[in-house]
């Protein structure tokens, strides 16, 4: 009898607009993916699925807001690897624990990363970049979406493995990071193809390497970092959907069914794939286990690289 109202609520859901919290400014990869998914769900729901950008503190502000929201199914969180698996190892104190205070729904996409540079940087591949950095120690800048985010970790991993000095410049999101990169104030960044691909195609940025294990279908002529002289280098980000931990299981199942159905639609999959992502749409249990494994993996990297939140 207690469960009956919740089951009815799940059947009638949604009866009002839904918001997806994104912990970064508009224009970044997470924001773009959230809007694609939200737009398709809005069409079926008859209610708007609105993206709510809450940037700041490398995603911590948005993460805390999502975790503290009412567990009624009307607040979702489009999280990144950094939001839930990395930040908890970077900050001495966090007001919430993403692994305990958020419930996994589904991993939406795996996001291919690419190293891009402003055309003024006299390096066209990773080998040339390493040689240049060794000739100019501490003079080459790389931007990120914030301390501890995947772009930051990608740069720190490069520095560690190549034994070079680069200057990290953190921003409040990938959008602002790319503005200064395109303007030439920053030399390079490692970020999602979702964000970088349009600028690469337009000739505004040079692609030095892709960061995954394999070359990208969208950039078949761009080698991996591993191929470019740093064996074992690999980073793939991900964007996944979570809700406040106390959200009833029946509602989590309903949201999961709706989101994965949207991800299976041909035009949605094509839009996401064409931007440089792999659509996933796994179960809450699979996503939860994946988040735990990612947290353990990056805890080790952060400790060994002595990375701290700035």
């Amino acid at each position: 009898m207690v469960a009956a109202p919740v089951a009815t609520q799940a059947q009638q859901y949604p009866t009002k607009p839904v918001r997806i919290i994104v912990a970064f400014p508009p224009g970044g990869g997470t924001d773009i993916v959230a809007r694609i998914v939200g737009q398709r769900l809005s069409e079926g729901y008859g209610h708007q699925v609105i993206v709510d950008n809450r940037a700041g503190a490398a995603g911590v502000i948005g993460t805390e807001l999502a975790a503290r929201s009412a567990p009624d199914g009307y607040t979702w969180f489009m999280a990144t690897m950094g939001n839930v698996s990395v930040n908890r190892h970077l900050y001495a104190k966090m007001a919430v624990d993403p692994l305990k205070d958020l419930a996994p729904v589904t991993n939406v996409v795996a996001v291919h990363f690419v190293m891009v540079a402003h055309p003024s940087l006299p390096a066209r591949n990773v080998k040339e970049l390493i040689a240049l950095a060794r000739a100019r120690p501490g003079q080459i800048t790389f931007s990120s979406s914030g301390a501890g985010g995947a772009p930051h970790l990608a740069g720190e991993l490069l520095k560690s493995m190549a034994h070079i000095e680069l200057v990290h410049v953190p921003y409040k999101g990938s959008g602002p990071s790319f503005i200064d990169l395109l303007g030439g104030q920053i030399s390079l960044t490692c970020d999602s193809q979702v964000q970088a691909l349009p600028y690469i195609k337009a000739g505004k940025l040079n692609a030095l390497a892709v960061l995954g294990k394999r070359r990208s279908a969208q950039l078949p002529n761009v080698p991996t970092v591993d191929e470019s002289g740093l064996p074992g280098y690999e980073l793939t980000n991900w964007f996944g959907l979570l809700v406040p931990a106390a959200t009833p299981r029946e509602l989590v199942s309903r949201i999961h069914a709706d989101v994965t159905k949207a991800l299976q639609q041909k035009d949605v999959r094509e839009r996401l794939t064409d931007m440089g992502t792999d659509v996933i749409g796994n179960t809450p249990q699979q996503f939860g286990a994946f988040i735990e494994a990612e947290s353990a993996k990056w805890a080790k990297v952060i400790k060994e690289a002595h990375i701290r939140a700035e």
Side-chain angles (χ1 to χ4, degrees), residues 84-137:
V84 295
S85 293
V86 173
N87 282 347
R88 62 197 305 266
H89 303 296
L90 288 173
Y91 292 87
K93 289 185 179 181
M94 286 186 66
V96 300
D97 183 344
L99 270 63
K100 295 179 180 178
D101 299 323
L102 290 164
V105 177
T106 189
N107 195 352
V108 177
V109 291
V111 186
H112 299 294
F113 263 43
V114 60
M115 185 185 302
V116 288
H118 188 268
S120 63
L121 185 73
R124 295 297 179 265
N125 54 56
V126 172
K127 287 184 179 179
E128 291 181 3
L129 172 64
I130 292 172
L132 186 66
R134 287 174 179 166
R136 304 178 184 177

Side-chain angles (χ1 to χ4, degrees), residues 158-178:
L158 175 70
K159 287 168 56 179
S160 175
M161 293 183 67
H163 306 291
I164 57 176
E165 293 181 35
L166 301 174
V167 179
H168 175 224
V169 183
Y171 287 78
K172 294 181 179 180
S174 291
S177 161
F178 269 78

Side-chain angles (χ1 to χ4, degrees), residues 81-90 97-99 153 238 287-303:
M81 177 184 79
N83 296 153
V84 295
S85 293
V86 173
N87 282 347
R88 62 197 305 266
H89 303 296
L90 288 173
D97 183 344
L99 270 63
L153 293 177
W238 48 266
F287 187 28
F290 175 74
I291 290 172
E292 292 276 1
E294 284 282 275
S295 180
K297 168 187 173 180
W298 289 108
K300 184 173 182 294
V301 171
I302 289 165
K303 182 178 180 180

